[in-house]
Amino acid sequence: MKLAESFAMVALNAQRSLELTMAKKVALRCMAAAVILELHLEGGLQNQVAQMRLKQDTTGGSPEGTYRRTVLVPLAGGKRDLNQELPWWLHKVSRLSAGKLVRFERSMAASLEKRGLLEEIPHLLGCDLYFHSAGVSINEYRSHVEEYARITEFLRADVLEDGTMTDQSVCMLWLLRESGCMHDLFSRNELDQVTRKMVSLMQSRPLAKTLYPLRIRRGFEIAVKQLLQFKKRAVSTQAGSGVNFLFPILERSQAIFIDTEAMLPGPEARLRDVLTRLESKGHRVKVLSRGQVPNLKIDNLVYEAIPHAVYGRVPIHGVRLLPKHLA
């Protein structure tokens, strides 16, 4: 599988499919950058033969032309000399408009869906008490579970184990950093090791030396992402359990509350109700551990089901799902 397709399966997974959220906008910009890096790894930005193929891609001359065209035509259209350095291309990608990013998303998603690697399902947020009771319907992307595991496990092994990393993994690390997806693959403890690996790569690999200093996120996107990260950290504390309701315009999917039928359910009854709700919405759930705080793999991500209660006129008991690295 090519770089852009592999990264798209990571970046689009669990993103809302019908809305251009700030998180998805950042992901799409990095997916477009992955197309440029994919061409760079194939020599498409260096030699004359590859230059001819690059021009063919802008007119549909290759199997990958479908999703490549939506990136290359806006960047290279009308420019005779395409023999530009990698930073030039990535800088151009960072300036793509929202409309062009959406067209690219549709092209890439259609390509992956056609091969059975991506599908649309009800968003996990639809399991939340307030969305479920109101009948609100939201859709999200789900990457093929086995293929997603293959991509992420290979990358984790390539990064965390000793040995020479592939150029594709070098690029994937940068894309994960720029898209904010690093936490989806690595734990907090592992991030220190990842940082050391990136520093080492900058000193020993020309590709990393060129790529890693580059930033393609825009200032406003960074500011919003930092606010989201602050909100997520606050949600994981008792004092911040209601902070999601202070930011209704931002994504609430990081602290989903699922109510249970019984007032004070035991661990097994609580887990049973949670599984029933999730599976009724079409999610694939695997119980990794049981007990007071079970670990659940929901589709491609791992969550902790933390006992919680919402207090109003009548207390409502249930669990709050938090991604494992935020819990």
Side-chain angles (χ1 to χ4, degrees), residues 76-138:
K79 187 175 180 63
R80 292 184 179 180
D81 181 16
L82 300 179
N83 190 24
Q84 301 292 329
E85 296 294 329
L86 179 61
W88 181 88
W89 286 98
L90 295 177
H91 174 72
K92 294 283 286 185
V93 159
S94 72
R95 302 178 67 84
L96 286 174
S97 67
K100 291 181 174 65
L101 290 175
V102 169
R103 284 193 288 275
F104 170 55
E105 174 197 353
R106 291 171 181 166
S107 177
M108 177 61 83
S111 176
L112 293 173
E113 287 173 351
K114 186 176 181 180
R115 296 163 58 189
L117 297 174
L118 192 72
E119 62 181 324
E120 288 188 61
I121 62 170
H123 197 287
L124 187 60
L125 191 58
C127 296
D128 183 270
L129 168 64
Y130 300 100
F131 283 80
H132 177 70
S133 58
V136 175
S137 177
I138 307 173

Short mmCIF file of all heavy atoms in Angstrom, two decimals, residues 76-138:
data_model
loop_
_atom_site.label_atom_id
_atom_site.label_comp_id
_atom_site.label_asym_id
_atom_site.label_seq_id
_atom_site.Cartn_x
_atom_site.Cartn_y
_atom_site.Cartn_z
N ALA A 76 0.23 22.26 -9.44
CA ALA A 76 1.11 22.32 -10.60
C ALA A 76 0.42 22.79 -11.87
O ALA A 76 1.07 22.95 -12.89
CB ALA A 76 1.70 20.93 -10.85
N GLY A 77 -0.87 22.99 -11.81
CA GLY A 77 -1.59 23.40 -13.00
C GLY A 77 -1.06 24.69 -13.59
O GLY A 77 -0.91 25.70 -12.91
N GLY A 78 -0.75 24.66 -14.90
CA GLY A 78 -0.27 25.85 -15.59
C GLY A 78 1.20 26.15 -15.39
O GLY A 78 1.72 27.10 -15.95
N LYS A 79 1.90 25.34 -14.60
CA LYS A 79 3.33 25.57 -14.35
C LYS A 79 4.13 24.58 -15.18
O LYS A 79 4.06 23.38 -14.95
CB LYS A 79 3.66 25.43 -12.87
CG LYS A 79 5.10 25.83 -12.53
CD LYS A 79 5.33 25.79 -11.04
CE LYS A 79 6.76 26.20 -10.70
NZ LYS A 79 7.06 27.58 -11.07
N ARG A 80 4.90 25.07 -16.14
CA ARG A 80 5.66 24.18 -17.01
C ARG A 80 6.79 23.48 -16.25
O ARG A 80 7.02 22.30 -16.43
CB ARG A 80 6.23 24.98 -18.19
CG ARG A 80 5.17 25.49 -19.15
CD ARG A 80 5.81 26.17 -20.34
NE ARG A 80 4.81 26.63 -21.28
CZ ARG A 80 5.09 27.26 -22.42
NH1 ARG A 80 6.35 27.51 -22.75
NH2 ARG A 80 4.13 27.65 -23.22
N ASP A 81 7.51 24.22 -15.44
CA ASP A 81 8.65 23.64 -14.74
C ASP A 81 8.18 23.12 -13.39
O ASP A 81 7.94 23.89 -12.46
CB ASP A 81 9.74 24.69 -14.54
CG ASP A 81 10.96 24.12 -13.81
OD1 ASP A 81 11.05 22.87 -13.75
OD2 ASP A 81 11.78 24.91 -13.33
N LEU A 82 8.05 21.78 -13.29
CA LEU A 82 7.60 21.18 -12.05
C LEU A 82 8.77 20.67 -11.21
O LEU A 82 8.57 20.05 -10.18
CB LEU A 82 6.66 20.00 -12.35
CG LEU A 82 5.39 20.35 -13.13
CD1 LEU A 82 4.57 19.10 -13.37
CD2 LEU A 82 4.58 21.41 -12.41
N ASN A 83 9.98 20.91 -11.68
CA ASN A 83 11.16 20.39 -10.99
C ASN A 83 11.51 21.28 -9.81
O ASN A 83 12.52 22.02 -9.82
CB ASN A 83 12.33 20.29 -11.96
CG ASN A 83 13.51 19.54 -11.36
OD1 ASN A 83 13.32 18.74 -10.44
ND2 ASN A 83 14.70 19.80 -11.85
N GLN A 84 10.69 21.23 -8.78
CA GLN A 84 10.87 22.04 -7.58
C GLN A 84 11.32 21.15 -6.43
O GLN A 84 11.07 19.95 -6.41
CB GLN A 84 9.57 22.76 -7.22
CG GLN A 84 9.04 23.69 -8.31
CD GLN A 84 9.92 24.90 -8.53
OE1 GLN A 84 10.58 25.38 -7.59
NE2 GLN A 84 9.96 25.39 -9.75
N GLU A 85 11.95 21.77 -5.43
CA GLU A 85 12.40 21.03 -4.27
C GLU A 85 11.22 20.65 -3.39
O GLU A 85 10.16 21.28 -3.42
CB GLU A 85 13.40 21.87 -3.47
CG GLU A 85 14.68 22.20 -4.21
CD GLU A 85 15.52 20.97 -4.50
OE1 GLU A 85 15.47 20.03 -3.68
OE2 GLU A 85 16.20 20.94 -5.54
N LEU A 86 11.42 19.62 -2.55
CA LEU A 86 10.36 19.11 -1.68
C LEU A 86 9.74 20.19 -0.80
O LEU A 86 8.50 20.26 -0.70
CB LEU A 86 10.91 17.96 -0.83
CG LEU A 86 9.95 17.31 0.16
CD1 LEU A 86 8.75 16.69 -0.57
CD2 LEU A 86 10.67 16.24 0.98
N PRO A 87 10.52 21.06 -0.14
CA PRO A 87 9.90 22.08 0.71
C PRO A 87 8.94 22.99 -0.06
O PRO A 87 7.92 23.42 0.50
CB PRO A 87 11.10 22.88 1.24
CG PRO A 87 12.22 21.88 1.24
CD PRO A 87 12.00 21.06 0.00
N TRP A 88 9.24 23.26 -1.34
CA TRP A 88 8.35 24.10 -2.15
C TRP A 88 6.99 23.45 -2.28
O TRP A 88 5.94 24.08 -2.10
CB TRP A 88 8.96 24.32 -3.53
CG TRP A 88 8.14 25.20 -4.44
CD1 TRP A 88 8.19 26.56 -4.54
CD2 TRP A 88 7.12 24.77 -5.37
NE1 TRP A 88 7.28 27.00 -5.48
CE2 TRP A 88 6.61 25.92 -6.00
CE3 TRP A 88 6.62 23.52 -5.72
CZ2 TRP A 88 5.61 25.86 -6.98
CZ3 TRP A 88 5.61 23.46 -6.68
CH2 TRP A 88 5.12 24.61 -7.30
N TRP A 89 6.98 22.15 -2.61
CA TRP A 89 5.73 21.43 -2.77
C TRP A 89 4.93 21.39 -1.46
O TRP A 89 3.71 21.59 -1.45
CB TRP A 89 6.01 20.00 -3.24
CG TRP A 89 6.42 19.90 -4.67
CD1 TRP A 89 7.68 19.80 -5.17
CD2 TRP A 89 5.55 19.90 -5.81
NE1 TRP A 89 7.66 19.73 -6.54
CE2 TRP A 89 6.37 19.78 -6.96
CE3 TRP A 89 4.17 19.96 -5.97
CZ2 TRP A 89 5.84 19.74 -8.25
CZ3 TRP A 89 3.64 19.92 -7.26
CH2 TRP A 89 4.47 19.81 -8.37
N LEU A 90 5.60 21.12 -0.36
CA LEU A 90 4.90 21.03 0.92
C LEU A 90 4.37 22.38 1.36
O LEU A 90 3.31 22.47 2.00
CB LEU A 90 5.84 20.44 1.98
CG LEU A 90 6.26 18.98 1.72
CD1 LEU A 90 7.25 18.51 2.79
CD2 LEU A 90 5.05 18.05 1.68
N HIS A 91 5.10 23.44 1.05
CA HIS A 91 4.60 24.79 1.34
C HIS A 91 3.33 25.07 0.54
O HIS A 91 2.37 25.64 1.07
CB HIS A 91 5.67 25.83 1.03
CG HIS A 91 5.18 27.25 1.16
ND1 HIS A 91 4.92 27.84 2.39
CD2 HIS A 91 4.89 28.20 0.21
CE1 HIS A 91 4.50 29.07 2.20
NE2 HIS A 91 4.47 29.32 0.90
N LYS A 92 3.31 24.65 -0.73
CA LYS A 92 2.11 24.85 -1.56
C LYS A 92 0.93 24.05 -1.01
O LYS A 92 -0.21 24.54 -1.00
CB LYS A 92 2.41 24.42 -3.00
CG LYS A 92 3.44 25.28 -3.70
CD LYS A 92 2.87 26.59 -4.16
CE LYS A 92 1.97 26.42 -5.37
NZ LYS A 92 1.50 27.73 -5.90
N VAL A 93 1.20 22.84 -0.55
CA VAL A 93 0.14 22.01 0.04
C VAL A 93 -0.48 22.70 1.25
O VAL A 93 -1.70 22.65 1.45
CB VAL A 93 0.71 20.63 0.45
CG1 VAL A 93 -0.18 19.95 1.48
CG2 VAL A 93 0.85 19.73 -0.77
N SER A 94 0.34 23.36 2.05
CA SER A 94 -0.16 24.01 3.26
C SER A 94 -1.11 25.16 2.95
O SER A 94 -1.81 25.64 3.85
CB SER A 94 1.01 24.53 4.11
OG SER A 94 1.62 25.66 3.50
N ARG A 95 -1.17 25.59 1.70
CA ARG A 95 -2.02 26.72 1.31
C ARG A 95 -3.26 26.29 0.52
O ARG A 95 -3.99 27.14 0.01
CB ARG A 95 -1.20 27.72 0.49
CG ARG A 95 0.01 28.26 1.24
CD ARG A 95 0.83 29.21 0.39
NE ARG A 95 0.11 30.43 0.11
CZ ARG A 95 0.05 31.47 0.93
NH1 ARG A 95 0.66 31.43 2.10
NH2 ARG A 95 -0.62 32.55 0.60
N LEU A 96 -3.50 24.99 0.42
CA LEU A 96 -4.70 24.52 -0.27
C LEU A 96 -5.96 25.00 0.45
O LEU A 96 -6.04 24.98 1.68
CB LEU A 96 -4.71 23.00 -0.36
CG LEU A 96 -3.76 22.35 -1.37
CD1 LEU A 96 -3.78 20.83 -1.21
CD2 LEU A 96 -4.12 22.74 -2.79
N SER A 97 -6.95 25.39 -0.31
CA SER A 97 -8.20 25.89 0.27
C SER A 97 -9.04 24.76 0.83
O SER A 97 -8.83 23.58 0.50
CB SER A 97 -9.00 26.65 -0.79
OG SER A 97 -9.47 25.74 -1.78
N ALA A 98 -10.01 25.11 1.65
CA ALA A 98 -10.90 24.10 2.23
C ALA A 98 -11.65 23.34 1.15
O ALA A 98 -11.83 22.12 1.24
CB ALA A 98 -11.88 24.77 3.20
N GLY A 99 -12.08 24.04 0.10
CA GLY A 99 -12.81 23.39 -0.97
C GLY A 99 -11.98 22.34 -1.69
O GLY A 99 -12.46 21.25 -2.02
N LYS A 100 -10.71 22.67 -1.95
CA LYS A 100 -9.82 21.71 -2.62
C LYS A 100 -9.53 20.51 -1.70
O LYS A 100 -9.40 19.37 -2.18
CB LYS A 100 -8.53 22.40 -3.03
CG LYS A 100 -8.70 23.42 -4.16
CD LYS A 100 -7.40 24.05 -4.55
CE LYS A 100 -7.56 24.95 -5.78
NZ LYS A 100 -8.43 26.12 -5.51
N LEU A 101 -9.41 20.76 -0.40
CA LEU A 101 -9.17 19.66 0.53
C LEU A 101 -10.36 18.72 0.57
O LEU A 101 -10.20 17.49 0.65
CB LEU A 101 -8.89 20.22 1.94
CG LEU A 101 -7.56 20.95 2.13
CD1 LEU A 101 -7.48 21.55 3.53
CD2 LEU A 101 -6.37 20.02 1.89
N VAL A 102 -11.56 19.26 0.52
CA VAL A 102 -12.77 18.42 0.53
C VAL A 102 -12.84 17.57 -0.73
O VAL A 102 -13.20 16.38 -0.67
CB VAL A 102 -14.03 19.30 0.67
CG1 VAL A 102 -15.29 18.47 0.41
CG2 VAL A 102 -14.10 19.92 2.05
N ARG A 103 -12.50 18.14 -1.89
CA ARG A 103 -12.50 17.36 -3.13
C ARG A 103 -11.47 16.23 -3.05
O ARG A 103 -11.71 15.11 -3.51
CB ARG A 103 -12.22 18.27 -4.33
CG ARG A 103 -13.42 19.11 -4.73
CD ARG A 103 -13.22 19.75 -6.08
NE ARG A 103 -12.25 20.83 -6.04
CZ ARG A 103 -12.54 22.09 -5.70
NH1 ARG A 103 -13.78 22.42 -5.39
NH2 ARG A 103 -11.61 23.02 -5.69
N PHE A 104 -10.32 16.54 -2.47
CA PHE A 104 -9.30 15.50 -2.28
C PHE A 104 -9.80 14.41 -1.33
O PHE A 104 -9.60 13.22 -1.58
CB PHE A 104 -8.03 16.15 -1.72
CG PHE A 104 -6.99 15.17 -1.26
CD1 PHE A 104 -6.51 14.18 -2.10
CD2 PHE A 104 -6.48 15.24 0.03
CE1 PHE A 104 -5.55 13.27 -1.66
CE2 PHE A 104 -5.52 14.35 0.47
CZ PHE A 104 -5.06 13.35 -0.38
N GLU A 105 -10.47 14.82 -0.24
CA GLU A 105 -11.02 13.84 0.71
C GLU A 105 -11.97 12.89 0.01
O GLU A 105 -11.89 11.66 0.20
CB GLU A 105 -11.76 14.56 1.84
CG GLU A 105 -12.47 13.62 2.80
CD GLU A 105 -13.52 14.31 3.65
OE1 GLU A 105 -13.62 15.56 3.59
OE2 GLU A 105 -14.27 13.61 4.35
N ARG A 106 -12.88 13.43 -0.80
CA ARG A 106 -13.86 12.59 -1.47
C ARG A 106 -13.19 11.61 -2.43
O ARG A 106 -13.59 10.44 -2.53
CB ARG A 106 -14.86 13.47 -2.23
CG ARG A 106 -15.77 14.27 -1.30
CD ARG A 106 -16.58 15.28 -2.08
NE ARG A 106 -17.45 16.07 -1.20
CZ ARG A 106 -18.06 17.19 -1.57
NH1 ARG A 106 -17.91 17.64 -2.81
NH2 ARG A 106 -18.83 17.85 -0.72
N SER A 107 -12.15 12.09 -3.11
CA SER A 107 -11.45 11.22 -4.05
C SER A 107 -10.71 10.09 -3.33
O SER A 107 -10.80 8.92 -3.72
CB SER A 107 -10.45 12.06 -4.86
OG SER A 107 -9.71 11.24 -5.74
N MET A 108 -10.00 10.43 -2.27
CA MET A 108 -9.26 9.42 -1.52
C MET A 108 -10.21 8.45 -0.84
O MET A 108 -10.00 7.23 -0.85
CB MET A 108 -8.35 10.08 -0.49
CG MET A 108 -7.58 9.11 0.40
SD MET A 108 -6.44 8.04 -0.51
CE MET A 108 -5.03 9.15 -0.66
N ALA A 109 -11.27 8.98 -0.20
CA ALA A 109 -12.23 8.11 0.49
C ALA A 109 -12.90 7.16 -0.50
O ALA A 109 -13.07 5.96 -0.20
CB ALA A 109 -13.28 8.96 1.20
N ALA A 110 -13.27 7.66 -1.69
CA ALA A 110 -13.90 6.81 -2.69
C ALA A 110 -12.96 5.70 -3.15
O ALA A 110 -13.37 4.55 -3.34
CB ALA A 110 -14.34 7.64 -3.89
N SER A 111 -11.66 6.04 -3.30
CA SER A 111 -10.67 5.04 -3.71
C SER A 111 -10.53 3.94 -2.66
O SER A 111 -10.50 2.75 -2.98
CB SER A 111 -9.32 5.73 -3.94
OG SER A 111 -8.31 4.79 -4.25
N LEU A 112 -10.48 4.33 -1.38
CA LEU A 112 -10.34 3.35 -0.31
C LEU A 112 -11.62 2.54 -0.11
O LEU A 112 -11.57 1.33 0.15
CB LEU A 112 -9.95 4.06 0.99
CG LEU A 112 -8.56 4.71 1.01
CD1 LEU A 112 -8.38 5.52 2.30
CD2 LEU A 112 -7.47 3.66 0.89
N GLU A 113 -12.77 3.20 -0.23
CA GLU A 113 -14.05 2.50 -0.06
C GLU A 113 -14.23 1.45 -1.16
O GLU A 113 -14.75 0.35 -0.90
CB GLU A 113 -15.20 3.50 -0.08
CG GLU A 113 -15.29 4.35 1.19
CD GLU A 113 -16.33 5.44 1.08
OE1 GLU A 113 -16.87 5.66 -0.03
OE2 GLU A 113 -16.59 6.11 2.11
N LYS A 114 -13.81 1.78 -2.37
CA LYS A 114 -13.95 0.85 -3.49
C LYS A 114 -13.17 -0.43 -3.24
O LYS A 114 -13.56 -1.51 -3.68
CB LYS A 114 -13.47 1.54 -4.77
CG LYS A 114 -13.69 0.72 -6.03
CD LYS A 114 -13.28 1.51 -7.27
CE LYS A 114 -13.53 0.69 -8.54
NZ LYS A 114 -13.13 1.46 -9.76
N ARG A 115 -12.07 -0.32 -2.51
CA ARG A 115 -11.23 -1.49 -2.20
C ARG A 115 -11.59 -2.12 -0.87
O ARG A 115 -10.91 -3.04 -0.40
CB ARG A 115 -9.76 -1.06 -2.20
CG ARG A 115 -9.28 -0.58 -3.56
CD ARG A 115 -8.00 0.22 -3.47
NE ARG A 115 -6.93 -0.55 -2.85
CZ ARG A 115 -5.75 -0.03 -2.50
NH1 ARG A 115 -5.53 1.26 -2.69
NH2 ARG A 115 -4.83 -0.78 -1.96
N GLY A 116 -12.64 -1.66 -0.23
CA GLY A 116 -13.08 -2.23 1.04
C GLY A 116 -12.20 -1.87 2.21
O GLY A 116 -12.23 -2.55 3.25
N LEU A 117 -11.44 -0.77 2.11
CA LEU A 117 -10.51 -0.37 3.16
C LEU A 117 -11.06 0.75 4.05
O LEU A 117 -10.44 1.09 5.06
CB LEU A 117 -9.18 0.09 2.54
CG LEU A 117 -8.41 -0.98 1.76
CD1 LEU A 117 -7.21 -0.38 1.06
CD2 LEU A 117 -7.99 -2.11 2.69
N LEU A 118 -12.20 1.30 3.68
CA LEU A 118 -12.79 2.40 4.44
C LEU A 118 -14.30 2.31 4.31
O LEU A 118 -14.81 1.93 3.25
CB LEU A 118 -12.29 3.75 3.90
CG LEU A 118 -12.57 5.00 4.73
CD1 LEU A 118 -11.69 5.02 5.98
CD2 LEU A 118 -12.31 6.27 3.91
N GLU A 119 -15.00 2.63 5.39
CA GLU A 119 -16.46 2.64 5.35
C GLU A 119 -17.00 3.73 6.26
O GLU A 119 -16.30 4.23 7.14
CB GLU A 119 -17.02 1.27 5.78
CG GLU A 119 -16.66 0.88 7.20
CD GLU A 119 -17.21 -0.49 7.59
OE1 GLU A 119 -18.33 -0.82 7.14
OE2 GLU A 119 -16.52 -1.22 8.33
N GLU A 120 -18.26 4.10 6.01
CA GLU A 120 -18.94 5.07 6.87
C GLU A 120 -19.86 4.33 7.81
O GLU A 120 -20.64 3.46 7.39
CB GLU A 120 -19.73 6.07 6.02
CG GLU A 120 -18.88 7.07 5.27
CD GLU A 120 -19.70 8.15 4.61
OE1 GLU A 120 -20.40 8.89 5.34
OE2 GLU A 120 -19.67 8.24 3.37
N ILE A 121 -19.79 4.68 9.09
CA ILE A 121 -20.63 4.08 10.12
C ILE A 121 -21.17 5.19 11.01
O ILE A 121 -20.69 6.33 10.94
CB ILE A 121 -19.83 3.06 10.97
CG1 ILE A 121 -18.68 3.77 11.72
CG2 ILE A 121 -19.30 1.93 10.12
CD1 ILE A 121 -17.99 2.90 12.75
N PRO A 122 -22.17 4.91 11.86
CA PRO A 122 -22.61 5.92 12.82
C PRO A 122 -21.46 6.34 13.74
O PRO A 122 -20.67 5.50 14.19
CB PRO A 122 -23.71 5.20 13.61
CG PRO A 122 -24.21 4.16 12.67
CD PRO A 122 -23.01 3.70 11.90
N HIS A 123 -21.33 7.62 13.97
CA HIS A 123 -20.24 8.16 14.80
C HIS A 123 -20.40 7.67 16.24
O HIS A 123 -21.51 7.51 16.75
CB HIS A 123 -20.27 9.68 14.76
CG HIS A 123 -18.99 10.32 15.22
ND1 HIS A 123 -18.60 10.35 16.54
CD2 HIS A 123 -18.02 10.97 14.54
CE1 HIS A 123 -17.45 10.98 16.65
NE2 HIS A 123 -17.07 11.38 15.45
N LEU A 124 -19.26 7.44 16.89
CA LEU A 124 -19.28 7.01 18.29
C LEU A 124 -20.02 8.01 19.16
O LEU A 124 -20.63 7.65 20.17
CB LEU A 124 -17.84 6.83 18.79
CG LEU A 124 -17.65 6.22 20.18
CD1 LEU A 124 -18.25 4.83 20.25
CD2 LEU A 124 -16.16 6.17 20.54
N LEU A 125 -19.99 9.27 18.77
CA LEU A 125 -20.69 10.31 19.52
C LEU A 125 -22.20 10.05 19.58
O LEU A 125 -22.87 10.48 20.51
CB LEU A 125 -20.42 11.67 18.87
CG LEU A 125 -20.83 12.93 19.63
CD1 LEU A 125 -20.17 12.97 21.00
CD2 LEU A 125 -20.49 14.17 18.83
N GLY A 126 -22.71 9.30 18.60
CA GLY A 126 -24.14 8.98 18.59
C GLY A 126 -24.54 8.06 19.74
O GLY A 126 -25.73 7.90 20.03
N CYS A 127 -23.56 7.45 20.40
CA CYS A 127 -23.84 6.61 21.56
C CYS A 127 -23.98 7.42 22.84
O CYS A 127 -24.42 6.90 23.87
CB CYS A 127 -22.73 5.56 21.74
SG CYS A 127 -22.61 4.38 20.38
N ASP A 128 -23.56 8.68 22.79
CA ASP A 128 -23.65 9.55 23.97
C ASP A 128 -25.11 9.72 24.37
O ASP A 128 -26.01 9.80 23.52
CB ASP A 128 -23.03 10.91 23.64
CG ASP A 128 -23.01 11.85 24.84
OD1 ASP A 128 -24.00 12.60 25.02
OD2 ASP A 128 -22.03 11.83 25.57
N LEU A 129 -25.37 9.78 25.68
CA LEU A 129 -26.74 9.87 26.21
C LEU A 129 -27.56 10.94 25.51
O LEU A 129 -28.69 10.70 25.07
CB LEU A 129 -26.68 10.16 27.72
CG LEU A 129 -28.00 10.57 28.38
CD1 LEU A 129 -29.02 9.44 28.30
CD2 LEU A 129 -27.76 10.99 29.82
N TYR A 130 -26.99 12.15 25.37
CA TYR A 130 -27.77 13.27 24.86
C TYR A 130 -28.01 13.16 23.36
O TYR A 130 -29.09 13.50 22.86
CB TYR A 130 -27.06 14.58 25.21
CG TYR A 130 -26.90 14.73 26.71
CD1 TYR A 130 -25.70 14.44 27.34
CD2 TYR A 130 -27.99 15.10 27.51
CE1 TYR A 130 -25.57 14.54 28.72
CE2 TYR A 130 -27.87 15.20 28.89
CZ TYR A 130 -26.65 14.91 29.49
OH TYR A 130 -26.53 15.00 30.85
N PHE A 131 -27.04 12.68 22.60
CA PHE A 131 -27.23 12.49 21.18
C PHE A 131 -28.16 11.31 20.92
O PHE A 131 -29.01 11.36 20.03
CB PHE A 131 -25.88 12.26 20.49
CG PHE A 131 -25.08 13.51 20.31
CD1 PHE A 131 -24.35 14.06 21.35
CD2 PHE A 131 -25.05 14.16 19.09
CE1 PHE A 131 -23.62 15.22 21.18
CE2 PHE A 131 -24.32 15.33 18.90
CZ PHE A 131 -23.60 15.86 19.96
N HIS A 132 -27.99 10.22 21.70
CA HIS A 132 -28.82 9.02 21.52
C HIS A 132 -30.28 9.32 21.83
O HIS A 132 -31.17 8.94 21.06
CB HIS A 132 -28.30 7.90 22.43
CG HIS A 132 -29.12 6.65 22.38
ND1 HIS A 132 -29.15 5.82 21.28
CD2 HIS A 132 -29.95 6.09 23.31
CE1 HIS A 132 -29.96 4.80 21.53
NE2 HIS A 132 -30.46 4.94 22.75
N SER A 133 -30.54 10.02 22.93
CA SER A 133 -31.92 10.30 23.31
C SER A 133 -32.58 11.29 22.36
O SER A 133 -33.80 11.27 22.18
CB SER A 133 -31.96 10.84 24.75
OG SER A 133 -31.18 12.02 24.88
N ALA A 134 -31.78 12.17 21.74
CA ALA A 134 -32.33 13.14 20.80
C ALA A 134 -32.45 12.58 19.39
O ALA A 134 -33.01 13.23 18.50
CB ALA A 134 -31.45 14.40 20.79
N GLY A 135 -31.91 11.39 19.17
CA GLY A 135 -31.98 10.78 17.85
C GLY A 135 -31.09 11.46 16.82
O GLY A 135 -31.37 11.40 15.62
N VAL A 136 -30.04 12.13 17.27
CA VAL A 136 -29.13 12.83 16.36
C VAL A 136 -28.25 11.81 15.63
O VAL A 136 -27.69 10.91 16.25
CB VAL A 136 -28.25 13.83 17.13
CG1 VAL A 136 -27.22 14.48 16.20
CG2 VAL A 136 -29.12 14.89 17.78
N SER A 137 -28.14 11.96 14.31
CA SER A 137 -27.36 11.03 13.50
C SER A 137 -26.10 11.72 13.00
O SER A 137 -26.16 12.78 12.37
CB SER A 137 -28.19 10.53 12.32
OG SER A 137 -27.43 9.68 11.49
N ILE A 138 -24.94 11.14 13.31
CA ILE A 138 -23.65 11.64 12.84
C ILE A 138 -22.88 10.44 12.30
O ILE A 138 -22.90 9.37 12.90
CB ILE A 138 -22.84 12.29 14.00
CG1 ILE A 138 -23.67 13.36 14.70
CG2 ILE A 138 -21.54 12.90 13.48
CD1 ILE A 138 -23.00 13.91 15.94
#
